[in-house]
Amino acid sequence: MPFDIDPRLLRAFTAVAEELHFTRAAARLYVAQQALSRDIRRLEREVGTALFVRTTRQVALTADGERLLPYARRVLSAHEELAAAFRPVPERPLLVDVGVPIGTAHRVLEDARGRVPDSCELVARFHSGLTGAAAELAAGRLDVSFGRYAGLPPAVRSGLAHQPVRLEPMAVLLREDHPLASRPEVPLAELAGETLYAAAGNPQTEEWTELAAQLFAGRGIAMAEPFPEIEGSQEFVRVVRKRGWSVLASVEFIDVPGMALRPVVDPIPLSPISMVWRRDLHHPGLTALRAAVHELAGKNDWLTAPEGAWLPPEDAAAMGVAESVRGR
């Protein structure tokens, strides 16, 4: 008996032996019946004996066919185990925090999804801030997030990598009947005497509240009193409308009925957005996300600060912004 029998011939033999019907066996293997018969005749020549008794009414195994069947099954099982051992392991889903299903981070995610095969899944998560997301990153419960990297403590940053994404202009969300809502842009100085909500009291968004505190300092802008974390955009809309808050936001923000979003100018305060992940993370989804950031930032000029912009020095350094753009 030869020692190099093609597994395909054994697969054909096993299908016929189990079906005892050439037409059904051919359908099971997705081959033509003529091709299947040809493979059986070849196997019979190689082993030097008839394996089936064929009549017009039935197909039956010969004694040698019965003897070969358990060996054929073991060979095919071992062949499948060998193939499985060297088959690429499917990548696990990559968990990506985008905050809300709109805006910069969400645009990066959507672009990256178009760069990976269907087998590579990028699953969105919706955390309310990078401070909270960083703890999830460190624990391995989240893979990628977006936000103000320089606002994280140095000990936290040491375990993370980041890629600057966008210097996003800030805006203010005002009631439609607010005197400043009728203006297309709101000069920062005009916000003196206003009280703005900037997520104070939410431990998940401390990096954003601290950035707002730097912006408000010395400008006569008050921080709204601490309020518990607001989970979900619908609940945020409800609370903001009920309490009548003005809100420090960015130019890409969720729609709040009855309120107007206006860019802040003179100077233009910037919200520094980085993509952040664990330093030891390797995944094709991360590669796709980084490529998406590179292309979108270049195409949309996201990392060029407008003239006279405001940005704290630590954020300017993290984002690679020129010294001349740095705020106080």
Side-chain angles (χ1 to χ4, degrees), residues 230-251:
I230 305 172
E231 294 189 1
S233 57
Q234 288 185 332
E235 186 67 0
F236 177 84
V237 169
R238 185 193 69 80
V239 172
V240 166
R241 293 185 64 186
K242 179 179 179 180
R243 299 181 72 86
W245 281 334
S246 295
V247 180
L248 183 69
S250 61
V251 292

Side-chain angles (χ1 to χ4, degrees), residues 5 11 14 16 32 35 81 83 113 174 186 188-189 215 218 221 223 225 239 265 281 290 309 319:
I5 295 176
R11 201 170 291 114
T14 303
V16 177
E81 289 180 13
R113 282 174 170 162
L174 304 163
V186 175
L188 186 59
L215 178 64
I221 305 172
M223 181 85 67
E225 63 185 23
V239 172
V265 295
L281 178 63
R290 298 196 66 181
M319 300 295 286

Side-chain angles (χ1 to χ4, degrees), residues 161-283:
H162 84 113
Q163 179 176 349
V165 178
R166 185 177 184 183
L167 298 168
E168 189 167 85
M170 292 189 194
V172 61
L173 189 67
L174 304 163
R175 299 184 314 278
E176 287 183 340
D177 61 354
H178 193 288
L180 296 174
S182 61
R183 305 175 70 163
E185 300 174 329
V186 175
L188 186 59
E190 294 293 318
L191 292 172
E194 295 285 335
T195 298
L196 301 184
Y197 173 73
N202 180 359
Q204 308 295 315
T205 58
E206 290 180 355
E207 79 290 342
W208 173 254
T209 304
E210 196 272 333
L211 180 65
Q214 291 194 52
L215 178 64
F216 296 170
R219 291 186 166 91
I221 305 172
M223 181 85 67
E225 63 185 23
F227 193 86
E229 178 183 358
I230 305 172
E231 294 189 1
S233 57
Q234 288 185 332
E235 186 67 0
F236 177 84
V237 169
R238 185 193 69 80
V239 172
V240 166
R241 293 185 64 186
K242 179 179 179 180
R243 299 181 72 86
W245 281 334
S246 295
V247 180
L248 183 69
S250 61
V251 292
E252 294 197 29
F253 201 70
I254 60 173
D255 181 54
V256 181
M259 302 192 76
L261 186 67
R262 297 290 181 261
V264 177
V265 295
D266 301 327
I268 299 173
L270 299 176
S271 170
I273 301 174
S274 286
M275 186 171 72
V276 184
W277 64 93
R278 292 186 309 280
R279 289 190 182 276
D280 61 354
L281 178 63
H282 300 281
H283 194 286

